[in-house]
């Protein structure tokens, strides 16, 4: 897998929004894939394919149904426009956030994926900033690229990748890019730098005990 290409292919932004009358930060990743919108939608919603690049996902996978990502978040599917858009609640560790996914055609056999994670401005956000969810989705989108590159591609071993020099460098670069995105959005540079350090420490295993 070409990690340099995966990193450079993603546009990362942070913006301020409100959700249910409270401030949230919209952490957004955009990139294109060499496949059709129908195929990209199937890769993002078909449980058999999700298990091959993301994680096993179970539940009632339809509008209004509940889903569960193995050893991760669960929630409710709140909107669904097949092959174009879906949104879900993201319930993890007692916290609530929201994920929105959009797919659009971009030329012949190319599709643009826009993934937004709307995060409450809480203690977790103040400690880790956008990289907490951002780096996790960076890893997911890299795994999706690997999956789409070959029908025979096996799911990346997250533990082995995270322990490798290559993996640590990728996560550090992503965390730094999320710091830049936060500053570009108007966040305090000193805070953004400290939050990025906390996030990098967690993902690279350099001693942080709290979870992101």
């Amino acid at each position: 897998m070409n990690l340099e290409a995966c990193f450079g292919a993603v546009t990362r932004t942070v913006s301020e929004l409100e959700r249910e009358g409270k401030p949230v930060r919209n952490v957004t990743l955009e990139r294109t894939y060499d496949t059709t919108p129908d195929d990209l939608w199937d890769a993002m919603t078909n449980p058999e394919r999700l298990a091959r690049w993301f994680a096993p996902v179970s539940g009632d996978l339809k509008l209004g149904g509940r889903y569960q990502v193995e050893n991760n978040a669960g929630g409710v599917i709140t909107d669904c426009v097949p092959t174009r858009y879906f949104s879900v609640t993201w319930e993890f560790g007692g916290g609530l956030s929201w994920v929105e996914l959009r797919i659009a055609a971009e030329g012949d056999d190319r599709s643009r994926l826009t993934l937004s994670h709307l995060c409450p401005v809480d203690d977790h956000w103040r400690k880790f900033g956008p990289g907490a969810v951002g780096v996790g989705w960076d890893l997911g989108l890299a795994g999706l690229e690997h999956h789409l590159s070959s029908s025979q591609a096996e799911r990346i071993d997250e533990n082995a990748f995270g322990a490798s020099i290559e993996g640590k460098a990728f996560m550090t670069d992503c965390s730094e890019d999320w710091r830049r995105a936060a500053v570009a959005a108007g966040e305090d540079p000193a805070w953004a730098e400290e939050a990025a350090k906390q996030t990098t420490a967690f993902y690279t295993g350099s001693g942080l005990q709290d979870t992101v």
Side-chain angles (χ1 to χ4, degrees), residues 42-43 45-53 57 147:
D42 188 65
T45 60
N46 182 330
E48 188 275 329
R49 292 185 71 181
L50 281 167
R52 288 159 53 196
W53 68 268
V57 179
H147 168 71

Side-chain angles (χ1 to χ4, degrees), residues 124-200:
H124 184 269
W125 173 269
R126 285 185 280 270
K127 182 167 186 176
F128 294 104
V133 298
V135 175
W137 289 120
D138 276 309
L139 292 166
L141 296 193
L144 177 57
E145 169 65 26
H146 181 62
H147 168 71
L148 293 172
S149 69
S150 170
S151 61
Q152 304 303 315
E154 297 183 0
R155 183 180 167 192
I156 296 170
D157 185 327
E158 295 179 1
N159 291 330
F161 177 73
S164 69
I165 294 174
E166 181 183 41
K168 290 178 186 295
F170 176 74
M171 292 183 286
T172 298
D173 287 345
C174 290
S175 182
E176 171 62 14
D177 211 44
W178 284 114
R179 180 196 66 78
R180 288 191 288 265
V183 173
E187 300 283 6
D188 176 66
W191 169 81
E193 182 175 357
E194 181 58 30
K197 287 180 180 178
Q198 294 285 340
T199 296
T200 300

Side-chain angles (χ1 to χ4, degrees), residues 58-123:
S58 59
D60 189 17
L61 304 185
K62 63 182 181 181
L63 183 62
R66 288 197 65 87
Y67 73 93
Q68 180 63 53
V69 181
E70 186 176 271
N71 299 320
N72 205 308
V76 176
I77 300 168
T78 54
D79 288 286
C80 182
V81 181
T83 76
R84 293 174 52 195
Y85 172 79
F86 72 77
S87 64
V88 299
T89 61
W90 190 262
E91 303 166 24
F92 181 73
L96 172 65
S97 55
W98 304 267
V99 173
E100 300 175 350
L101 183 142
R102 295 172 173 82
I103 294 173
E106 190 162 287
D108 295 335
D109 296 328
R110 284 180 65 81
S111 305
R112 174 163 289 274
L113 173 67
T114 303
L115 191 154
S116 298
H117 197 141
L118 280 66
C119 304
V121 183
D122 54 13
D123 289 343

